[in-house]
Amino acid sequence: DIQMTQSPSSLSASVGDRVTITCRASQSISNSLNWYQHKPGEAPKFLMYAASYSQSGVPSRFSGSGFGTDFTLTISSLQPEDFATYYCQQSYSTPDTFGGGTKVEIK
Amino acid sequence: QVQLQESGPGLVKPSETLSLTCAVSGDSISNYNWTWIRQPPGKGLEYIGYIYNIGSPDHKPPHYNPSLKSRVTISVDTSKKQFSLKLRSVTAADTAVYYCARRRLEIITNTYHYYMDVWGKGTTVTVSS
């Protein structure tokens, strides 16, 4: 199975900060990388596919990049509703595998 | 807008079968692939498996995570607009929040990209005697 490693596992940031989350694959996955946002007690929310294609309705402050093994999710200006846990997921080969998550907390 | 709702027993005894259902509302169940994912306490998300679009002419058998394949069955009931998960011979390691989700496909420059665009809120299942 392809291992997905996210860093950091948690971070503290303030509203308005620029936040970058990294996801690394154990082997090349082309650009088959998805991102999700998860808040406690809620359904996970799909943000992005193919590394950089945003789901309809996702605010433009979210952007993704990367190819091969290294990927990033960037929030250009953190908003109060963005405090959550973010997960990457590779769909390059089955079984799908997820990163361990990055919890974005309020500083 | 499509919504998914998981349901099933919150407590299952060791060695028994865990059975969950995901009700689909707001869209056809026949036009998509459907998947199950779980998250054990304090751990990351784990893909369980998915069932293919039963309305597709090239419908294939369900796909399961090899680590669970011998114990898992995913099925769909179009008349009830729901799909189901059965996990046999459970142990404490199967204690988790179980999520159902819709699996979509996007083709970009001849590359297939799969993702889960709609999720349920999850249901907690504890395996304990």
CSV table of all heavy atoms in Angstrom, one decimal, chain B residues 85-126:
chain,number,residue,atom,x,y,z
B,85,LEU,N,-22.9,-2.4,4.6
B,85,LEU,CA,-21.6,-3.0,4.9
B,85,LEU,C,-21.8,-4.1,5.9
B,85,LEU,O,-22.5,-4.0,6.9
B,85,LEU,CB,-20.7,-1.9,5.6
B,85,LEU,CG,-19.4,-2.4,6.3
B,85,LEU,CD1,-18.4,-2.9,5.2
B,85,LEU,CD2,-18.8,-1.3,7.1
B,86,LYS,N,-21.2,-5.3,5.7
B,86,LYS,CA,-21.1,-6.3,6.6
B,86,LYS,C,-19.6,-6.7,6.9
B,86,LYS,O,-18.9,-6.9,5.9
B,86,LYS,CB,-21.9,-7.6,6.2
B,86,LYS,CG,-23.4,-7.3,6.1
B,86,LYS,CD,-24.1,-8.6,5.9
B,86,LYS,CE,-25.6,-8.4,5.7
B,86,LYS,NZ,-26.2,-7.8,6.9
B,87,LEU,N,-19.3,-6.7,8.1
B,87,LEU,CA,-17.9,-7.1,8.5
B,87,LEU,C,-18.0,-8.2,9.5
B,87,LEU,O,-18.5,-8.0,10.6
B,87,LEU,CB,-17.2,-5.9,9.2
B,87,LEU,CG,-15.7,-6.1,9.6
B,87,LEU,CD1,-14.9,-6.4,8.4
B,87,LEU,CD2,-15.2,-4.8,10.3
B,88,ARG,N,-17.5,-9.4,9.2
B,88,ARG,CA,-17.6,-10.6,10.0
B,88,ARG,C,-16.5,-10.7,11.0
B,88,ARG,O,-15.4,-10.1,10.8
B,88,ARG,CB,-17.7,-11.8,9.0
B,88,ARG,CG,-18.9,-11.8,8.1
B,88,ARG,CD,-18.8,-12.9,7.1
B,88,ARG,NE,-17.8,-12.7,6.1
B,88,ARG,CZ,-17.9,-12.0,5.0
B,88,ARG,NH1,-19.0,-11.3,4.8
B,88,ARG,NH2,-16.9,-11.9,4.2
B,89,SER,N,-16.8,-11.5,11.9
B,89,SER,CA,-15.7,-11.9,12.9
B,89,SER,C,-15.0,-10.7,13.5
B,89,SER,O,-13.8,-10.7,13.5
B,89,SER,CB,-14.8,-12.9,12.3
B,89,SER,OG,-15.4,-14.0,11.7
B,90,VAL,N,-15.8,-9.8,14.0
B,90,VAL,CA,-15.1,-8.5,14.5
B,90,VAL,C,-14.4,-8.8,15.8
B,90,VAL,O,-14.6,-9.7,16.6
B,90,VAL,CB,-16.2,-7.4,14.7
B,90,VAL,CG1,-16.8,-7.1,13.4
B,90,VAL,CG2,-17.2,-7.8,15.7
B,91,THR,N,-13.4,-7.9,16.0
B,91,THR,CA,-12.6,-7.8,17.2
B,91,THR,C,-12.6,-6.4,17.7
B,91,THR,O,-13.1,-5.5,17.0
B,91,THR,CB,-11.2,-8.3,17.0
B,91,THR,OG1,-10.5,-7.4,16.2
B,91,THR,CG2,-11.1,-9.7,16.3
B,92,ALA,N,-11.9,-6.1,18.8
B,92,ALA,CA,-11.8,-4.8,19.3
B,92,ALA,C,-11.1,-3.8,18.3
B,92,ALA,O,-11.4,-2.6,18.3
B,92,ALA,CB,-11.1,-4.8,20.7
B,93,ALA,N,-10.3,-4.4,17.5
B,93,ALA,CA,-9.6,-3.6,16.5
B,93,ALA,C,-10.6,-3.0,15.4
B,93,ALA,O,-10.2,-2.1,14.7
B,93,ALA,CB,-8.5,-4.4,15.8
B,94,ASP,N,-11.8,-3.5,15.4
B,94,ASP,CA,-12.8,-3.0,14.4
B,94,ASP,C,-13.6,-1.9,15.0
B,94,ASP,O,-14.5,-1.3,14.4
B,94,ASP,CB,-13.7,-4.1,14.0
B,94,ASP,CG,-12.9,-5.2,13.2
B,94,ASP,OD1,-12.2,-4.8,12.2
B,94,ASP,OD2,-13.1,-6.4,13.5
B,95,THR,N,-13.3,-1.5,16.3
B,95,THR,CA,-14.0,-0.4,16.9
B,95,THR,C,-13.6,0.9,16.2
B,95,THR,O,-12.4,1.2,16.0
B,95,THR,CB,-13.6,-0.3,18.4
B,95,THR,OG1,-14.2,-1.4,19.1
B,95,THR,CG2,-14.1,1.0,19.0
B,96,ALA,N,-14.6,1.7,15.7
B,96,ALA,CA,-14.2,2.8,14.9
B,96,ALA,C,-15.5,3.6,14.6
B,96,ALA,O,-16.6,3.2,14.9
B,96,ALA,CB,-13.6,2.4,13.5
B,97,VAL,N,-15.3,4.8,14.0
B,97,VAL,CA,-16.4,5.6,13.4
B,97,VAL,C,-16.4,5.1,12.0
B,97,VAL,O,-15.4,5.2,11.3
B,97,VAL,CB,-16.2,7.1,13.5
B,97,VAL,CG1,-17.3,7.8,12.8
B,97,VAL,CG2,-16.1,7.5,15.0
B,98,TYR,N,-17.6,4.7,11.5
B,98,TYR,CA,-17.7,4.2,10.1
B,98,TYR,C,-18.5,5.3,9.3
B,98,TYR,O,-19.5,5.8,9.7
B,98,TYR,CB,-18.5,2.9,10.1
B,98,TYR,CG,-17.6,1.7,10.6
B,98,TYR,CD1,-17.4,1.6,12.0
B,98,TYR,CD2,-17.1,0.8,9.7
B,98,TYR,CE1,-16.6,0.5,12.4
B,98,TYR,CE2,-16.3,-0.2,10.1
B,98,TYR,CZ,-16.0,-0.4,11.5
B,98,TYR,OH,-15.3,-1.4,11.9
B,99,TYR,N,-17.9,5.6,8.1
B,99,TYR,CA,-18.4,6.6,7.2
B,99,TYR,C,-18.8,5.9,5.9
B,99,TYR,O,-18.1,5.1,5.4
B,99,TYR,CB,-17.4,7.7,6.9
B,99,TYR,CG,-17.0,8.5,8.1
B,99,TYR,CD1,-15.8,8.2,8.8
B,99,TYR,CD2,-17.7,9.6,8.5
B,99,TYR,CE1,-15.3,9.0,9.8
B,99,TYR,CE2,-17.2,10.4,9.6
B,99,TYR,CZ,-16.1,10.1,10.2
B,99,TYR,OH,-15.7,10.8,11.3
B,100,CYS,N,-19.9,6.4,5.4
B,100,CYS,CA,-20.2,6.0,4.0
B,100,CYS,C,-20.0,7.3,3.1
B,100,CYS,O,-20.1,8.4,3.6
B,100,CYS,CB,-21.6,5.5,3.8
B,100,CYS,SG,-23.0,6.6,4.3
B,101,ALA,N,-19.7,7.1,1.9
B,101,ALA,CA,-19.4,8.2,1.0
B,101,ALA,C,-19.7,7.8,-0.5
B,101,ALA,O,-19.7,6.6,-0.8
B,101,ALA,CB,-17.9,8.6,1.1
B,102,ARG,N,-19.9,8.8,-1.3
B,102,ARG,CA,-20.1,8.7,-2.7
B,102,ARG,C,-18.8,8.8,-3.4
B,102,ARG,O,-18.0,9.8,-3.1
B,102,ARG,CB,-21.1,9.7,-3.3
B,102,ARG,CG,-21.4,9.5,-4.7
B,102,ARG,CD,-22.5,10.4,-5.2
B,102,ARG,NE,-22.1,11.8,-5.3
B,102,ARG,CZ,-22.9,12.8,-5.7
B,102,ARG,NH1,-24.1,12.5,-6.1
B,102,ARG,NH2,-22.4,14.0,-5.8
B,103,ARG,N,-18.5,7.9,-4.3
B,103,ARG,CA,-17.2,7.9,-5.0
B,103,ARG,C,-17.4,8.4,-6.4
B,103,ARG,O,-18.2,7.8,-7.1
B,103,ARG,CB,-16.6,6.5,-4.9
B,103,ARG,CG,-15.2,6.3,-5.5
B,103,ARG,CD,-14.7,4.9,-5.4
B,103,ARG,NE,-13.4,4.6,-5.9
B,103,ARG,CZ,-12.3,4.7,-5.2
B,103,ARG,NH1,-12.4,5.1,-4.0
B,103,ARG,NH2,-11.1,4.5,-5.8
B,104,ARG,N,-16.7,9.4,-6.8
B,104,ARG,CA,-16.8,10.0,-8.1
B,104,ARG,C,-15.6,9.8,-8.9
B,104,ARG,O,-14.5,9.5,-8.4
B,104,ARG,CB,-17.1,11.5,-8.0
B,104,ARG,CG,-18.4,11.9,-7.2
B,104,ARG,CD,-19.6,11.4,-7.9
B,104,ARG,NE,-19.8,12.0,-9.2
B,104,ARG,CZ,-20.3,13.2,-9.5
B,104,ARG,NH1,-20.7,14.0,-8.5
B,104,ARG,NH2,-20.4,13.7,-10.7
B,105,LEU,N,-15.8,9.9,-10.2
B,105,LEU,CA,-14.7,9.8,-11.1
B,105,LEU,C,-14.6,11.0,-12.0
B,105,LEU,O,-15.6,11.5,-12.6
B,105,LEU,CB,-14.9,8.6,-12.0
B,105,LEU,CG,-13.9,8.4,-13.3
B,105,LEU,CD1,-12.5,8.3,-12.8
B,105,LEU,CD2,-14.4,7.3,-14.1
B,106,GLU,N,-13.4,11.6,-12.2
B,106,GLU,CA,-13.2,12.7,-13.1
B,106,GLU,C,-12.0,12.3,-14.0
B,106,GLU,O,-11.0,11.8,-13.5
B,106,GLU,CB,-12.8,14.0,-12.3
B,106,GLU,CG,-12.9,15.2,-13.1
B,106,GLU,CD,-14.3,15.7,-13.3
B,106,GLU,OE1,-15.2,15.4,-12.4
B,106,GLU,OE2,-14.6,16.3,-14.3
B,107,ILE,N,-12.2,12.4,-15.3
B,107,ILE,CA,-11.1,12.1,-16.2
B,107,ILE,C,-10.4,13.4,-16.7
B,107,ILE,O,-11.1,14.2,-17.3
B,107,ILE,CB,-11.6,11.3,-17.4
B,107,ILE,CG1,-12.3,10.0,-16.8
B,107,ILE,CG2,-10.5,10.9,-18.3
B,107,ILE,CD1,-13.0,9.1,-17.9
B,108,ILE,N,-9.2,13.5,-16.4
B,108,ILE,CA,-8.4,14.7,-16.9
B,108,ILE,C,-7.2,14.2,-17.7
B,108,ILE,O,-6.4,13.5,-17.2
B,108,ILE,CB,-7.9,15.5,-15.7
B,108,ILE,CG1,-9.1,15.9,-14.8
B,108,ILE,CG2,-7.2,16.7,-16.1
B,108,ILE,CD1,-8.7,16.6,-13.5
B,109,THR,N,-7.2,14.7,-19.0
B,109,THR,CA,-6.1,14.3,-19.9
B,109,THR,C,-5.9,12.8,-19.8
B,109,THR,O,-4.7,12.3,-19.6
B,109,THR,CB,-4.9,15.1,-19.7
B,109,THR,OG1,-4.4,14.9,-18.3
B,109,THR,CG2,-5.1,16.5,-20.0
B,110,ASN,N,-6.9,12.0,-19.9
B,110,ASN,CA,-6.8,10.5,-20.0
B,110,ASN,C,-6.4,9.9,-18.7
B,110,ASN,O,-6.0,8.7,-18.6
B,110,ASN,CB,-5.9,10.1,-21.1
B,110,ASN,CG,-6.4,10.5,-22.5
B,110,ASN,OD1,-7.6,10.4,-22.7
B,110,ASN,ND2,-5.5,10.9,-23.3
B,111,THR,N,-6.3,10.7,-17.6
B,111,THR,CA,-6.0,10.1,-16.3
B,111,THR,C,-7.3,10.1,-15.4
B,111,THR,O,-8.0,11.1,-15.3
B,111,THR,CB,-4.9,11.0,-15.6
B,111,THR,OG1,-3.8,11.0,-16.4
B,111,THR,CG2,-4.6,10.4,-14.2
B,112,TYR,N,-7.5,8.9,-14.8
B,112,TYR,CA,-8.7,8.7,-13.9
B,112,TYR,C,-8.4,9.3,-12.5
B,112,TYR,O,-7.4,8.8,-11.9
B,112,TYR,CB,-9.1,7.3,-13.9
B,112,TYR,CG,-9.7,6.7,-15.1
B,112,TYR,CD1,-9.4,7.1,-16.4
B,112,TYR,CD2,-10.8,5.8,-15.0
B,112,TYR,CE1,-10.0,6.7,-17.5
B,112,TYR,CE2,-11.4,5.3,-16.1
B,112,TYR,CZ,-11.0,5.7,-17.4
B,112,TYR,OH,-11.7,5.3,-18.5
B,113,HIS,N,-9.3,10.1,-12.0
B,113,HIS,CA,-9.2,10.6,-10.7
B,113,HIS,C,-10.4,10.3,-9.9
B,113,HIS,O,-11.5,10.7,-10.3
B,113,HIS,CB,-8.9,12.2,-10.7
B,113,HIS,CG,-7.7,12.6,-11.3
B,113,HIS,ND1,-6.5,12.6,-10.6
B,113,HIS,CD2,-7.4,13.0,-12.6
B,113,HIS,CE1,-5.5,12.9,-11.5
B,113,HIS,NE2,-6.0,13.2,-12.6
B,114,TYR,N,-10.2,9.5,-8.9
B,114,TYR,CA,-11.4,9.1,-8.0
B,114,TYR,C,-11.3,9.9,-6.7
B,114,TYR,O,-10.2,10.2,-6.2
B,114,TYR,CB,-11.3,7.6,-7.6
B,114,TYR,CG,-11.5,6.7,-8.8
B,114,TYR,CD1,-10.4,6.2,-9.5
B,114,TYR,CD2,-12.8,6.4,-9.2
B,114,TYR,CE1,-10.6,5.4,-10.6
B,114,TYR,CE2,-13.0,5.5,-10.3
B,114,TYR,CZ,-11.9,5.0,-11.0
B,114,TYR,OH,-12.1,4.2,-12.1
B,115,TYR,N,-12.5,10.3,-6.2
B,115,TYR,CA,-12.5,11.0,-4.9
B,115,TYR,C,-13.9,10.8,-4.3
B,115,TYR,O,-14.8,10.4,-5.0
B,115,TYR,CB,-12.3,12.5,-5.1
B,115,TYR,CG,-13.1,13.2,-6.2
B,115,TYR,CD1,-14.4,13.7,-5.9
B,115,TYR,CD2,-12.7,13.3,-7.5
B,115,TYR,CE1,-15.2,14.3,-6.8
B,115,TYR,CE2,-13.5,13.9,-8.5
B,115,TYR,CZ,-14.7,14.4,-8.1
B,115,TYR,OH,-15.5,14.9,-9.1
B,116,MET,N,-14.0,11.1,-3.0
B,116,MET,CA,-15.3,10.9,-2.3
B,116,MET,C,-15.9,12.3,-2.1
B,116,MET,O,-15.3,13.1,-1.3
B,116,MET,CB,-15.1,10.2,-1.0
B,116,MET,CG,-15.0,8.7,-1.0
B,116,MET,SD,-13.6,8.1,-1.8
B,116,MET,CE,-12.4,8.3,-0.5
B,117,ASP,N,-16.9,12.7,-2.8
B,117,ASP,CA,-17.4,14.1,-2.8
B,117,ASP,C,-18.5,14.3,-1.8
B,117,ASP,O,-18.7,15.5,-1.4
B,117,ASP,CB,-17.8,14.5,-4.2
B,117,ASP,CG,-19.1,13.8,-4.7
B,117,ASP,OD1,-19.4,12.7,-4.2
B,117,ASP,OD2,-19.8,14.4,-5.5
B,118,VAL,N,-19.2,13.3,-1.3
B,118,VAL,CA,-20.2,13.5,-0.3
B,118,VAL,C,-20.0,12.4,0.7
B,118,VAL,O,-19.9,11.2,0.3
B,118,VAL,CB,-21.6,13.4,-0.9
B,118,VAL,CG1,-22.7,13.6,0.2
B,118,VAL,CG2,-21.8,14.4,-2.0
B,119,TRP,N,-20.1,12.8,2.0
B,119,TRP,CA,-19.9,11.8,3.1
B,119,TRP,C,-21.1,11.9,4.0
B,119,TRP,O,-21.7,12.9,4.2
B,119,TRP,CB,-18.6,12.2,3.9
B,119,TRP,CG,-17.3,12.1,3.2
B,119,TRP,CD1,-17.0,12.8,2.1
B,119,TRP,CD2,-16.2,11.3,3.6
B,119,TRP,NE1,-15.7,12.4,1.7
B,119,TRP,CE2,-15.2,11.6,2.6
B,119,TRP,CE3,-15.9,10.4,4.6
B,119,TRP,CZ2,-13.9,11.0,2.7
B,119,TRP,CZ3,-14.7,9.9,4.7
B,119,TRP,CH2,-13.7,10.1,3.8
B,120,GLY,N,-21.3,10.8,4.7
B,120,GLY,CA,-22.2,10.8,5.9
B,120,GLY,C,-21.5,11.4,7.1
B,120,GLY,O,-20.2,11.5,7.1
B,121,LYS,N,-22.2,11.6,8.2
B,121,LYS,CA,-21.6,12.1,9.4
B,121,LYS,C,-20.9,11.1,10.2
B,121,LYS,O,-20.1,11.4,11.1
B,121,LYS,CB,-22.7,12.8,10.3
B,121,LYS,CG,-23.2,14.1,9.7
B,121,LYS,CD,-24.2,14.7,10.7
B,121,LYS,CE,-24.7,16.0,10.2
B,121,LYS,NZ,-25.6,16.7,11.1
B,122,GLY,N,-21.1,9.8,9.9
B,122,GLY,CA,-20.4,8.7,10.5
B,122,GLY,C,-21.2,8.2,11.7
B,122,GLY,O,-22.1,8.8,12.3
B,123,THR,N,-21.0,6.9,12.0
B,123,THR,CA,-21.6,6.2,13.1
B,123,THR,C,-20.6,5.5,13.9
B,123,THR,O,-19.7,4.8,13.3
B,123,THR,CB,-22.8,5.3,12.6
B,123,THR,OG1,-23.5,4.8,13.7
B,123,THR,CG2,-22.2,4.1,11.8
B,124,THR,N,-20.6,5.6,15.2
B,124,THR,CA,-19.6,4.9,16.0
B,124,THR,C,-20.0,3.5,16.3
B,124,THR,O,-21.2,3.2,16.7
B,124,THR,CB,-19.5,5.7,17.3
B,124,THR,OG1,-19.0,7.0,17.1
B,124,THR,CG2,-18.4,5.0,18.2
B,125,VAL,N,-19.1,2.6,16.1
B,125,VAL,CA,-19.4,1.2,16.4
B,125,VAL,C,-18.3,0.7,17.4
B,125,VAL,O,-17.1,0.9,17.1
B,125,VAL,CB,-19.3,0.3,15.2
B,125,VAL,CG1,-19.5,-1.2,15.6
B,125,VAL,CG2,-20.4,0.7,14.2
B,126,THR,N,-18.7,0.2,18.5
B,126,THR,CA,-17.8,-0.4,19.5
B,126,THR,C,-17.9,-1.9,19.5
B,126,THR,O,-19.1,-2.4,19.6
B,126,THR,CB,-18.1,0.2,20.9
B,126,THR,OG1,-18.0,1.7,20.8
B,126,THR,CG2,-17.2,-0.3,21.9
